[in-house]
mmCIF file of all heavy atoms in Angstrom:
data_model
loop_
_atom_site.group_PDB
_atom_site.id
_atom_site.type_symbol
_atom_site.label_atom_id
_atom_site.label_comp_id
_atom_site.label_asym_id
_atom_site.label_seq_id
_atom_site.Cartn_x
_atom_site.Cartn_y
_atom_site.Cartn_z
ATOM 1 N N LEU A 524 9.171 4.187 3.751
ATOM 2 C CA LEU A 524 9.615 2.836 4.109
ATOM 3 C C LEU A 524 8.900 2.339 5.358
ATOM 4 O O LEU A 524 8.420 1.202 5.409
ATOM 5 C CB LEU A 524 11.121 2.830 4.347
ATOM 6 C CG LEU A 524 12.031 2.549 3.151
ATOM 7 C CD1 LEU A 524 13.486 2.667 3.570
ATOM 8 C CD2 LEU A 524 11.757 1.180 2.584
ATOM 9 N N SER A 536 14.411 -6.135 0.516
ATOM 10 C CA SER A 536 14.753 -4.801 0.020
ATOM 11 C C SER A 536 14.334 -4.650 -1.446
ATOM 12 O O SER A 536 13.959 -3.558 -1.878
ATOM 13 C CB SER A 536 16.255 -4.548 0.173
ATOM 14 O OG SER A 536 17.011 -5.533 -0.511
ATOM 15 N N THR A 537 14.360 -5.759 -2.203
ATOM 16 C CA THR A 537 13.921 -5.696 -3.604
ATOM 17 C C THR A 537 12.440 -5.360 -3.700
ATOM 18 O O THR A 537 12.034 -4.519 -4.510
ATOM 19 C CB THR A 537 14.197 -7.043 -4.301
ATOM 20 O OG1 THR A 537 15.589 -7.330 -4.234
ATOM 21 C CG2 THR A 537 13.758 -6.991 -5.757
ATOM 22 N N LEU A 539 10.650 -3.776 -1.495
ATOM 23 C CA LEU A 539 10.472 -2.382 -1.070
ATOM 24 C C LEU A 539 10.840 -1.423 -2.189
ATOM 25 O O LEU A 539 10.168 -0.401 -2.392
ATOM 26 C CB LEU A 539 11.321 -2.101 0.171
ATOM 27 C CG LEU A 539 10.852 -2.760 1.465
ATOM 28 C CD1 LEU A 539 11.931 -2.658 2.535
ATOM 29 C CD2 LEU A 539 9.558 -2.132 1.962
ATOM 30 N N SER A 540 11.891 -1.743 -2.938
ATOM 31 C CA SER A 540 12.274 -0.860 -4.040
ATOM 32 C C SER A 540 11.226 -0.877 -5.147
ATOM 33 O O SER A 540 10.967 0.151 -5.782
ATOM 34 C CB SER A 540 13.641 -1.275 -4.604
ATOM 35 O OG SER A 540 13.568 -2.524 -5.261
ATOM 36 N N ILE A 541 10.596 -2.038 -5.371
ATOM 37 C CA ILE A 541 9.523 -2.117 -6.368
ATOM 38 C C ILE A 541 8.326 -1.285 -5.915
ATOM 39 O O ILE A 541 7.739 -0.520 -6.701
ATOM 40 C CB ILE A 541 9.103 -3.584 -6.590
ATOM 41 C CG1 ILE A 541 10.231 -4.360 -7.279
ATOM 42 C CG2 ILE A 541 7.833 -3.670 -7.435
ATOM 43 C CD1 ILE A 541 9.975 -5.855 -7.389
ATOM 44 N N LEU A 543 8.257 1.252 -3.915
ATOM 45 C CA LEU A 543 8.565 2.678 -3.836
ATOM 46 C C LEU A 543 9.073 3.244 -5.154
ATOM 47 O O LEU A 543 9.326 4.453 -5.246
ATOM 48 C CB LEU A 543 9.617 2.927 -2.748
ATOM 49 C CG LEU A 543 9.188 2.606 -1.320
ATOM 50 C CD1 LEU A 543 10.357 2.745 -0.366
ATOM 51 C CD2 LEU A 543 8.039 3.517 -0.888
ATOM 52 N N SER A 544 9.241 2.386 -6.159
ATOM 53 C CA SER A 544 9.746 2.818 -7.475
ATOM 54 C C SER A 544 11.072 3.553 -7.348
ATOM 55 O O SER A 544 11.276 4.628 -7.928
ATOM 56 C CB SER A 544 8.705 3.702 -8.183
ATOM 57 O OG SER A 544 7.512 3.009 -8.399
ATOM 58 N N THR A 545 11.972 2.986 -6.578
ATOM 59 C CA THR A 545 13.298 3.564 -6.412
ATOM 60 C C THR A 545 14.332 2.457 -6.494
ATOM 61 O O THR A 545 13.990 1.272 -6.581
ATOM 62 C CB THR A 545 13.407 4.324 -5.076
ATOM 63 O OG1 THR A 545 14.631 5.046 -5.038
ATOM 64 C CG2 THR A 545 13.343 3.369 -3.904
ATOM 65 N N SER A 546 15.599 2.818 -6.465
ATOM 66 C CA SER A 546 16.651 1.819 -6.652
ATOM 67 C C SER A 546 16.859 0.990 -5.387
ATOM 68 O O SER A 546 16.708 1.507 -4.273
ATOM 69 C CB SER A 546 17.966 2.509 -7.024
ATOM 70 O OG SER A 546 18.488 3.214 -5.915
ATOM 71 N N PRO A 547 17.215 -0.302 -5.538
ATOM 72 C CA PRO A 547 17.496 -1.137 -4.357
ATOM 73 C C PRO A 547 18.610 -0.570 -3.481
ATOM 74 O O PRO A 547 18.567 -0.705 -2.260
ATOM 75 C CB PRO A 547 17.878 -2.490 -4.964
ATOM 76 C CG PRO A 547 17.236 -2.505 -6.310
ATOM 77 C CD PRO A 547 17.268 -1.084 -6.786
ATOM 78 N N ARG A 548 19.597 0.069 -4.099
ATOM 79 C CA ARG A 548 20.696 0.631 -3.316
ATOM 80 C C ARG A 548 20.206 1.750 -2.398
ATOM 81 O O ARG A 548 20.603 1.841 -1.229
ATOM 82 C CB ARG A 548 21.793 1.143 -4.252
ATOM 83 C CG ARG A 548 23.046 1.629 -3.526
ATOM 84 C CD ARG A 548 24.086 2.088 -4.524
ATOM 85 N NE ARG A 548 24.574 0.989 -5.333
ATOM 86 C CZ ARG A 548 25.555 0.177 -4.975
ATOM 87 N NH1 ARG A 548 26.148 0.337 -3.800
ATOM 88 N NH2 ARG A 548 25.952 -0.795 -5.770
ATOM 89 N N THR A 549 19.330 2.611 -2.940
ATOM 90 C CA THR A 549 18.772 3.697 -2.118
ATOM 91 C C THR A 549 17.966 3.135 -0.959
ATOM 92 O O THR A 549 18.067 3.604 0.184
ATOM 93 C CB THR A 549 17.884 4.609 -2.984
ATOM 94 O OG1 THR A 549 18.674 5.175 -4.031
ATOM 95 C CG2 THR A 549 17.275 5.722 -2.153
ATOM 96 N N VAL A 550 17.163 2.115 -1.244
ATOM 97 C CA VAL A 550 16.357 1.488 -0.196
ATOM 98 C C VAL A 550 17.253 0.854 0.859
ATOM 99 O O VAL A 550 16.995 0.962 2.057
ATOM 100 C CB VAL A 550 15.407 0.438 -0.808
ATOM 101 C CG1 VAL A 550 14.763 -0.414 0.275
ATOM 102 C CG2 VAL A 550 14.329 1.129 -1.622
ATOM 103 N N GLN A 551 18.324 0.201 0.423
ATOM 104 C CA GLN A 551 19.208 -0.473 1.377
ATOM 105 C C GLN A 551 19.884 0.523 2.303
ATOM 106 O O GLN A 551 20.026 0.285 3.508
ATOM 107 C CB GLN A 551 20.263 -1.287 0.619
ATOM 108 C CG GLN A 551 21.082 -2.202 1.508
ATOM 109 C CD GLN A 551 20.242 -3.219 2.235
ATOM 110 O OE1 GLN A 551 19.504 -3.977 1.620
ATOM 111 N NE2 GLN A 551 20.328 -3.242 3.561
ATOM 112 N N ARG A 552 20.305 1.662 1.769
ATOM 113 C CA ARG A 552 20.913 2.690 2.618
ATOM 114 C C ARG A 552 19.918 3.195 3.656
ATOM 115 O O ARG A 552 20.258 3.396 4.823
ATOM 116 C CB ARG A 552 21.427 3.847 1.758
ATOM 117 C CG ARG A 552 22.716 3.559 1.015
ATOM 118 C CD ARG A 552 23.371 4.845 0.546
ATOM 119 N NE ARG A 552 22.533 5.564 -0.399
ATOM 120 C CZ ARG A 552 22.637 5.459 -1.714
ATOM 121 N NH1 ARG A 552 23.552 4.661 -2.238
ATOM 122 N NH2 ARG A 552 21.854 6.149 -2.508
ATOM 123 N N ALA A 553 18.681 3.397 3.224
ATOM 124 C CA ALA A 553 17.657 3.869 4.157
ATOM 125 C C ALA A 553 17.366 2.825 5.230
ATOM 126 O O ALA A 553 17.211 3.152 6.416
ATOM 127 C CB ALA A 553 16.383 4.218 3.395
#
Side-chain angles (χ1 to χ4, degrees):
L524 270 177
S536 58
T537 301
L539 289 168
S540 68
I541 292 173
L543 295 174
S544 299
T545 189
S546 70
R548 186 179 294 275
T549 300
V550 169
Q551 190 60 56
R552 284 197 297 265

